[in-house]
Amino acid sequence: MGRRSGRYEMAAGAPASGRGSDAICNFVTCNDSSLRSQPIIFNPDFFVEKLRHEKPEVFTELVVSNITRLIDLPGAELAQLMGEEDPKLPGANSTASGFFRSLMSLKRKEKGVVFGSPLTEEGIAQVSQLIEYLHKNLRAEGLFRVPGNSIRQQILKDALNSGTDIDLDSGEFHSNDVATLLKMFLGELPEPLLTHKHFHAHLKIADLTLFDEKGNKTSTPDKERQIEALQLLFLILPAPNRSLLKLLLDLLYQTAKKQDKNKMSAHNLALMFAPHILWPRNVTANDLQENITKLNNGVTFMIKHSQKLFKAPVYIRECARLHYLGSRAHTSKDDLDLLTSSGSKELQPLKSQKRSRLDSCHQEETQQRTEEALKELFHHVHNMPDSAKKKKLIRQFNKHPTALTPGSDVPTSPAPRRTRSRSFSGLIKRKVLGTPVILERKSRDTTPEPVRVSKENVQLLQKCGSPAHISQAKLKSLESQKEGSCRRMRAHLLSKDSSSL
């Protein structure tokens, strides 16, 4: 893959290609201003990678403690996993098939720059060309099973060892040539891609099964625990091994998805690759005996679930994040679950108190906004020109002085006094509706003029009953009766006067 010159540069302190197998990644900074506006995707495993790179001992202890929670590793196997003892592999003390083991070891002594050498970043860069080419040719029937041409394979192998650029798309090589060469590269590594230290752990992961209601083991595999254990085990692989394993399993996963064309299922692919990536070196099928089926099924499981195996478990991410951002000590998944369950109960009153404070603040804020809006509305009404509408609005404000009137910020003009009505209808309205009699005073010392009510009016009021029970309709009818009687009286008097004349 070519690099764009002048667009990217290596950051200071980033390890160069092939400088060490313990490098995690190369940090790249972008100098192109047109690309800086692109959204930045944050790696959720950032603190996990940071902890593994900066404090490998702390990281290994954290991961291994959770691995032993899932699988039972005796003291010797645990020491082998931690690298404290040399791994004891099957067939190491057996004299059977010695000729075949010595023959395989002689083949691996012919080391090249890429083939037969320990895994390096340079070797991964060369082999990634093969993987990239195979991604484009997954439909070939019998891929990884049908061998390629040995002469073309040797030409391609020499080119990769010499580090020269290879044009695989030229048509000179067949997909079976490239697939066979990839298996050859993996088979000539000094140790399998999954390392000798992890061999016994993979055997134990294959034995993880579900339990029944009585707590007895069943024959059904516990897929969730197997995925979790593989995620942890892959975290403590050497960085180059983990990088190449991810590329390889993704290729095999995509190959199995097209098995209707290439006739290669995940199990068929596992049979092809298990001896190269998981079996210990210098062993035969007779050395493994009962473990062959278990190992093949383990590789099949890896291919099927490869898209989930290279993500750190959530509790590992949290522990790594707390290591840099918090003060809590490292804990396992069980400890984190316990802390979460107990902490949730303690946080209940705190959450309720916080919610009540938020509600009160919200109410105060809403009330303040309402008062400001009313104040602004009152100013607007007060500045309106004098009219009947303005007087009506002011009366509405005066009806609710505490709720609507903003206070004494804006002086209000006094409402005009209404003159006292001396009519009989006005008297009835004031008595019934409870309207106070407004008296006109010429001065503070003068007494109000008494209201004079005729005897006839008093008798009429007594006849109607309690003023509180007189409706407005009755008042109108009484008033009309009074006016009608007055009109009849005047007509009678006029008729008498005219007759006398």
Side-chain angles (χ1 to χ4, degrees):
M1 298 176 65
R3 296 181 179 178
R4 300 178 181 178
S5 59
R7 299 288 295 276
Y8 299 91
E9 65 178 7
M10 300 299 296
S17 176
R19 188 170 295 178
S21 61
D22 58 343
I24 290 181
C25 60
N26 292 333
F27 296 93
V28 179
T29 58
C30 177
N31 292 330
D32 191 349
S33 58
S34 63
L35 296 178
R36 291 178 181 173
S37 60
Q38 299 297 325
I40 299 175
I41 302 175
F42 178 73
N43 181 12
D45 291 344
F46 170 77
F47 290 108
V48 177
E49 298 294 337
K50 181 178 176 66
L51 183 63
R52 176 168 57 179
H53 181 61
E54 296 180 354
K55 299 181 180 179
E57 294 181 358
V58 175
F59 177 80
T60 302
E61 182 179 357
L62 170 64
V63 174
V64 172
S65 64
N66 283 278
I67 291 177
T68 55
R69 176 177 54 84
L70 296 172
I71 58 178
D72 182 21
L73 288 175
E77 295 180 0
L78 180 61
Q80 295 173 23
L81 181 63
M82 297 287 291
E84 299 172 356
E85 295 183 6
D86 293 334
K88 296 179 180 180
L89 304 173
N93 299 325
S94 175
T95 57
S97 303
F99 172 75
F100 295 102
R101 283 194 292 271
S102 60
L103 180 62
M104 288 186 288
S105 62
L106 287 175
K107 288 183 177 180
R108 294 190 182 93
K109 288 182 180 179
E110 300 175 0
K111 295 182 180 180
V113 178
V114 177
F115 286 78
S117 299
L119 195 59
T120 61
E121 292 182 4
E122 183 179 357
I124 295 175
Q126 291 292 85
V127 174
S128 63
Q129 299 179 73
L130 307 179
I131 296 175
E132 185 178 355
Y133 171 80
L134 291 173
H135 269 291
K136 304 174 185 178
N137 298 271
L138 296 177
R139 297 177 179 271
E141 185 174 349
L143 191 65
F144 296 111
R145 178 172 54 83
V146 178
N149 183 274
S150 59
I151 297 177
R152 293 196 298 263
Q153 290 174 18
Q154 188 62 41
I155 295 173
L156 185 57
K157 181 178 179 180
D158 294 339
L160 291 174
N161 274 327
S162 62
T164 58
D165 294 334
I166 306 171
D167 185 10
L168 294 174
D169 296 324
S170 61
E172 181 181 356
F173 304 99
H174 191 268
S175 56
N176 289 333
D177 303 333
V178 178
T180 305
L181 193 64
L182 178 60
K183 289 194 301 180
M184 186 185 302
F185 168 79
L186 295 171
E188 292 185 7
L189 289 174
E191 66 172 348
L193 190 60
L194 294 173
T195 71
H196 287 142
K197 295 190 300 182
H198 292 189
F199 176 74
H200 294 289
H202 282 286
L203 292 178
K204 295 295 177 67
I205 291 174
D207 289 333
L208 290 175
T209 57
L210 295 173
F211 294 87
D212 57 15
E213 297 178 354
K214 298 181 180 180
N216 300 321
K217 293 187 67 175
T218 63
S219 59
T220 305
D222 191 345
K223 296 182 179 180
E224 292 185 1
R225 291 174 64 198
Q226 288 178 343
I227 290 175
E228 183 182 349
L230 289 173
Q231 287 176 336
L232 294 170
L233 202 59
F234 288 176
L235 285 176
I236 56 176
L237 274 175
N241 294 55
R242 190 169 187 263
S243 299
L244 182 57
L245 179 65
K246 188 176 187 305
L247 294 174
L248 177 64
L249 290 181
D250 185 61
L251 173 65
L252 300 180
Y253 173 80
Q254 298 297 334
T255 305
K257 286 180 64 175
K258 293 185 172 54
Q259 59 179 319
D260 58 331
K261 303 293 182 181
N262 53 43
K263 310 302 180 184
M264 296 298 293
S265 63
H267 182 69
N268 293 336
L269 293 170
L271 296 178
M272 299 293 104
F273 280 89
H276 301 298
I277 67 174
L278 187 54
W279 289 16
R281 293 291 183 253
N282 301 333
V283 297
T284 62
N286 293 329
D287 296 328
L288 296 176
Q289 295 179 353
E290 298 179 357
N291 292 329
I292 290 182
T293 302
K294 190 181 296 185
L295 295 174
N296 292 338
N297 292 337
V299 177
T300 304
F301 186 84
M302 294 180 201
I303 295 173
K304 290 181 178 180
H305 301 277
S306 61
Q307 308 304 307
K308 303 178 182 179
L309 302 182
F310 295 92
K311 300 176 182 178
V314 177
Y315 54 89
I316 296 294
R317 295 180 187 175
E318 182 66 14
C319 288
R321 186 185 67 83
L322 290 174
H323 181 85
Y324 289 99
L325 302 181
S327 58
R328 188 189 301 174
H330 296 314
T331 54
S332 66
K333 180 184 179 183
D334 297 333
D335 297 332
L336 287 176
D337 293 341
L338 182 62
L339 289 173
T340 304
S341 60
S342 61
S344 60
K345 297 179 180 179
E346 298 176 356
L347 289 176
Q348 290 295 335
L350 296 177
K351 289 181 179 179
S352 60
Q353 294 176 6
K354 185 177 180 181
R355 190 180 300 109
S356 62
R357 287 196 299 267
L358 290 175
D359 293 340
S360 60
C361 293
H362 180 69
Q363 292 177 358
E364 293 177 359
E365 184 179 358
T366 304
Q367 184 177 0
Q368 184 179 2
R369 291 179 179 176
T370 304
E371 292 178 356
E372 292 176 356
L374 288 173
K375 187 174 181 180
E376 184 178 356
L377 178 61
F378 187 78
H379 277 281
H380 176 71
V381 172
H382 182 265
N383 294 329
M384 288 173 61
D386 293 336
S387 62
K389 185 177 181 180
K390 176 180 178 180
K391 294 178 181 179
K392 183 178 179 181
L393 292 173
I394 291 178
R395 284 197 301 269
Q396 290 179 359
F397 274 108
N398 292 333
K399 286 182 181 179
H400 307 279
T402 56
L404 295 178
T405 307
S408 60
D409 296 339
V410 180
T412 59
S413 58
R417 289 187 175 184
R418 301 179 62 182
T419 58
R420 179 172 57 90
S421 175
R422 296 176 180 269
S423 64
F424 178 72
S425 62
L427 176 62
I428 295 177
K429 288 181 180 179
R430 287 195 297 273
K431 292 290 184 180
V432 175
L433 300 177
T435 306
V437 180
I438 303 175
L439 303 177
E440 295 181 350
R441 300 182 181 181
K442 296 181 179 179
S443 63
R444 296 182 180 178
D445 299 332
T446 59
T447 56
E449 183 180 357
V451 180
R452 297 178 182 179
V453 184
S454 64
K455 184 178 179 180
E456 184 181 0
N457 293 339
V458 174
Q459 292 176 355
L460 184 60
L461 283 174
Q462 291 176 355
K463 185 184 293 186
C464 294
S466 175
H469 299 286
I470 301 176
S471 64
Q472 205 165 9
K474 289 183 178 181
L475 289 174
K476 289 183 179 181
S477 63
L478 289 173
E479 187 175 355
S480 61
Q481 291 176 8
K482 177 65 176 179
E483 292 178 357
S485 61
C486 292
R487 284 195 299 270
R488 288 193 299 271
M489 183 66 71
R490 285 196 296 271
H492 179 67
L493 294 174
L494 290 172
S495 62
K496 289 180 69 176
D497 294 339
S498 60
S499 61
S500 61
L501 292 174

